[in-house]
Amino acid sequence: MHGSLTRRRRAGLALLTSAVLAAASALVAATAVTAPASAATSATVSVNTGTSLGTIPAAGHGVNVAVYDGNMNSSPISGLLRDAGFTAVRYPGGSYGDIYHWKTHTTEGGYVAPGTDFDTYVSTVRSAGAQPVVIANYGTGTAQEAADWVRYANVTKGYGVKYWEIGNEVYGNGHYGSGWEQDNHSDKSPKAYANNVLQYISAMKAVDSSIKVGVVLTTPGGWPDGVVGSGDTADWNNTVMSIVKDKADFVIVHWYPGATSAADSLTKVSQIAPMVSTIRSLLTKYAGSGASGIGIAVTEANLNYQLNSATTALGAADSYLTWFENGVMNVDWWSLHNGTSSSPKTNDDGTADYNDFGILSSGSSGEPPVNTPLPPYYGLAMVGRAGSPGDTLVKTSSSSSLLAAHAVRTSGGVNVVLINKDLNNSTTVSLSYSGFSPGGAATVVQWRKGATSISTSSASSATSITLPPYSVTVLKAAGGGTQSPSPSPSPSASPSRTPSPSPSPSVSPGAGQGCSAAYKVVNSWPGGFQAEVTVTNTRTTAISGWTVGWSFRNGQTIGSSWNASVSQSGAAVTAKNVSYNGALAAGASASFGFTADGAGDVPSPVACTAG
């Protein structure tokens, strides 16, 4: 994304033209937002709680912020992020990532607003209970600059920043003709990028081996995917992955599908499954046995049509949950604030169109007051209401193309997300559950077109509900009959930290069944600490998952966590692998980390069980 409060998304990246995506969209092209008067107003939804589509990822629910946004750290922001359930916040802002120098808090040719420095950003993110996602400067930076940033963030300050990208949309550096991304390298080819990425990974992990580093790919079906540049033997993705292989921890794509109408916009979710399948095939081709351990992150996403509409709110909720169901580890909406240079118009669905990519108003001319939530904010907040990191996504089916359904299994029951895409009609939904018996009253959490808040009410039953037109509803049903993991609690706000100089790490090896767990305190400060746990497969054969457990001895409480689904009940803590790090070959290891309030002593025993 171009870093600017007023510049719009370039058209080239929004064009998804591959045959596989076109075919997927065609399957639902007949979906209409404005249903005729005779349209059915009833539907059925089946929920199979005995299935698993993976878990809600620890840092899955994300949003972008940018250093040119003077409101990104204003006083209401951490509360707005927390209330929406965001667990990741990406910085320093799209294409600004390739011109931003963190040491001087300056950019080459861009604008930096006061109060947007790295430390202030981290403070806001931690207060929101989220995790940072940081773009290391590839375009005008160096591997050493990136390594120094890791050292400052995780050694000097003890922030525990886990996710680092190497550049933004580097393929937009002019190598294929069109250029919007700053890249000062004399060789702008994908081969040069890949070889430089290996230097970045080596330098950054020499400072902190626990970080996860991501490499930039082109969006399958979007320009310049499939284009072979001058002097190249293959396109960007094949060239980059043939060199990087399994050295990256995750790969990065951006998603701006665009649309021709509101109805068309709500079909774009059909692109997600084939896109993920294409990426997975690419990883398998070049990373071999290591492919399953490489995550996929969608670090910029926006439907890119009538940006502030209720349509976009519905599409945001539907797409995030679909990304999660397809195993993506992180999705970051573009963006928190963006601004507009357009006069307000009217969207297809009747809502005001400010042509603003932000989920909160920037207070531009004609817009509501600054930080006013716009409809996409509420759509994304409903994702936060659907479940917590570590909760299990299960299969659903809907009888209507105008009704999207998703479901999340929690320790207390099942949450069913129902998205009514019918602009004109309420829909009465009959729900059936396999492997689960809903009991008693249910809780209804709901946002509908035109609402300026999310409502909560009670329903007498979890088997029938009438949905308002153009609405997102989470129907929370308690009951029994489901074996489900304990959910990770919503991360608590982290305290202001003054890291201790050179903390002394301690290690507690954990005994268990098929794996061991080494618990190490890597940083501490008055009232809190950061720990890392390394899980090792002690079997002579591969394992498909792991669970680590311990009990705190002095009232410590978990704050934020990464690379595991961590839950706490009293003193007892349970950590389970996430989708991308459960499979371990014989002797292989995976690490996860967390911050906590309290004294940084080492619990004993720390038990590990292979799944």
Side-chain angles (χ1 to χ4, degrees):
M1 180 71 189
H2 279 301
S4 169
L5 281 173
T6 57
R7 293 179 71 178
R8 297 274 65 82
R9 185 75 199 170
R10 29 183 204 286
L13 202 66
L15 298 177
L16 294 171
T17 58
S18 74
V20 65
L21 297 187
S25 292
L27 292 174
V28 287
T31 301
V33 173
T34 53
S38 60
T41 56
S42 63
T44 59
V45 167
S46 299
V47 181
N48 188 345
T49 65
T51 60
S52 174
L53 298 173
T55 60
I56 296 177
H61 188 26
V63 67
N64 278 271
V65 296
V67 293
Y68 54 74
D69 172 17
N71 296 309
M72 64 170 276
N73 294 309
S74 58
S75 57
I77 295 303
S78 61
L80 286 163
L81 293 172
R82 184 171 55 250
D83 291 346
F86 284 113
T87 54
V89 181
R90 182 177 182 247
Y91 176 93
S95 296
Y96 263 54
D98 280 314
I99 61 173
Y100 178 71
H101 298 287
W102 71 271
K103 289 182 181 179
T104 56
H105 188 48
T106 59
T107 61
E108 298 190 25
Y111 168 73
V112 174
T116 61
D117 59 276
F118 178 65
D119 292 298
T120 307
Y121 150 77
V122 172
S123 178
T124 297
V125 172
R126 299 178 91 174
S127 294
Q131 297 186 50
V133 176
V134 176
I135 311 167
N137 186 341
Y138 176 81
T140 63
T142 65
Q144 186 61 53
E145 181 183 34
D148 290 344
W149 201 352
V150 174
R151 180 176 292 104
Y152 176 79
N154 292 355
V155 179
T156 304
K157 303 295 288 188
Y159 290 150
V161 178
K162 206 70 177 177
Y163 302 105
W164 300 80
E165 301 179 53
I166 309 303
N168 184 53
E169 294 167 355
V170 184
Y171 47 81
N173 59 9
H175 180 69
Y176 297 102
S178 179
W180 61 86
E181 201 79 12
Q182 186 69 32
D183 184 357
N184 289 353
H185 296 87
S186 57
D187 186 348
K188 296 177 171 55
S189 68
K191 179 179 179 180
Y193 171 72
N195 284 317
N196 287 327
V197 158
L198 294 178
Q199 296 179 29
Y200 272 73
I201 292 173
S202 177
M204 295 165 75
K205 290 202 169 189
V207 175
D208 182 353
S209 62
S210 72
I211 64 172
K212 301 298 180 184
V213 182
V215 58
V216 173
L217 298 182
T218 63
T219 305
W223 188 90
D225 183 46
V227 176
V228 178
S230 175
D232 298 337
T233 57
D235 66 359
W236 180 277
N237 286 357
N238 281 278
T239 302
V240 169
M241 290 310 304
S242 69
I243 295 169
V244 174
K245 299 184 187 299
D246 60 353
K247 299 300 189 296
D249 299 293
F250 60 99
V251 295
I252 301 148
V253 295
H254 292 171
W255 188 57
Y256 291 89
T260 57
S261 67
D264 183 43
S265 183
L266 290 176
T267 71
K268 297 305 180 181
V269 67
S270 66
Q271 297 178 350
I272 291 173
M275 282 177 60
V276 174
S277 177
T278 298
I279 295 167
R280 281 287 169 211
S281 295
L282 180 78
L283 297 180
T284 299
K285 179 179 180 180
Y286 293 109
S289 61
S292 62
I294 300 175
I296 299 173
V298 187
T299 57
E300 289 185 24
N302 193 297
L303 294 182
N304 202 28
Y305 179 80
Q306 298 189 343
L307 308 173
N308 315 122
S309 63
T311 300
T312 297
L314 271 57
D318 197 14
S319 62
Y320 265 55
L321 292 167
T322 303
W323 284 116
F324 298 162
E325 290 164 352
N326 281 274
V328 165
M329 58 177 276
N330 165 254
V331 188
D332 303 313
W333 194 259
W334 187 272
S335 61
L336 186 68
H337 301 98
N338 199 84
T340 181
S341 58
S342 301
S343 300
K345 300 179 180 64
T346 302
N347 291 312
D348 292 356
D349 58 31
T351 55
D353 176 18
Y354 304 110
N355 199 32
D356 187 334
F357 275 94
I359 61 173
L360 303 177
S361 173
S362 63
S364 300
S365 177
E367 288 194 310
V370 66
N371 291 328
T372 298
L374 301 172
Y377 172 86
Y378 294 110
L380 294 168
M382 292 301 291
V383 176
R385 304 299 201 275
S388 300
D391 287 345
T392 302
L393 298 144
V394 301
K395 289 183 179 179
T396 63
S397 61
S398 168
S399 66
S400 172
S401 61
L402 289 175
L403 177 66
H406 306 271
V408 179
R409 196 174 67 208
T410 74
S411 60
V414 174
N415 298 340
V416 184
V417 182
L418 301 167
I419 303 171
N420 184 6
K421 301 179 181 181
D422 191 328
L423 180 61
N424 298 321
N425 297 294
S426 297
T427 300
T428 298
V429 182
S430 297
L431 297 100
S432 62
Y433 300 82
S434 175
F436 175 76
S437 299
T443 300
V444 178
V445 182
Q446 189 172 85
W447 180 82
R448 60 188 299 177
K449 182 175 81 78
T452 56
S453 64
I454 293 172
S455 65
T456 302
S457 60
S458 295
S460 59
S461 169
T463 58
S464 181
I465 185 172
T466 298
L467 308 174
Y470 245 44
S471 61
V472 184
T473 301
V474 179
L475 181 64
K476 298 188 174 186
T482 299
Q483 298 296 319
S484 61
S486 300
S488 173
S490 298
S492 60
S494 301
S496 175
R497 300 168 184 227
T498 304
S500 59
S502 303
S504 301
S506 326
V507 178
S508 173
Q513 300 179 1
C515 58
S516 65
Y519 182 115
K520 179 172 63 175
V521 176
V522 297
N523 204 354
S524 62
W525 51 89
F529 65 96
Q530 176 188 343
E532 179 182 88
V533 180
T534 299
V535 177
T536 301
N537 177 11
T538 58
R539 291 180 177 171
T540 57
T541 57
I543 62 174
S544 59
W546 45 262
T547 302
V548 177
W550 68 86
S551 291
F552 283 129
R553 294 175 294 191
N554 296 301
Q556 294 95 332
T557 56
I558 298 288
S560 60
S561 62
W562 48 92
N563 293 338
S565 170
V566 181
S567 61
Q568 182 171 0
S569 177
V573 178
T574 301
K576 295 178 180 291
N577 65 275
V578 289
S579 60
Y580 53 85
N581 65 1
L584 296 177
S589 299
S591 297
F592 67 91
F594 62 88
T595 59
D597 295 334
D601 53 11
V602 177
S604 181
V606 181
C608 185
T609 302

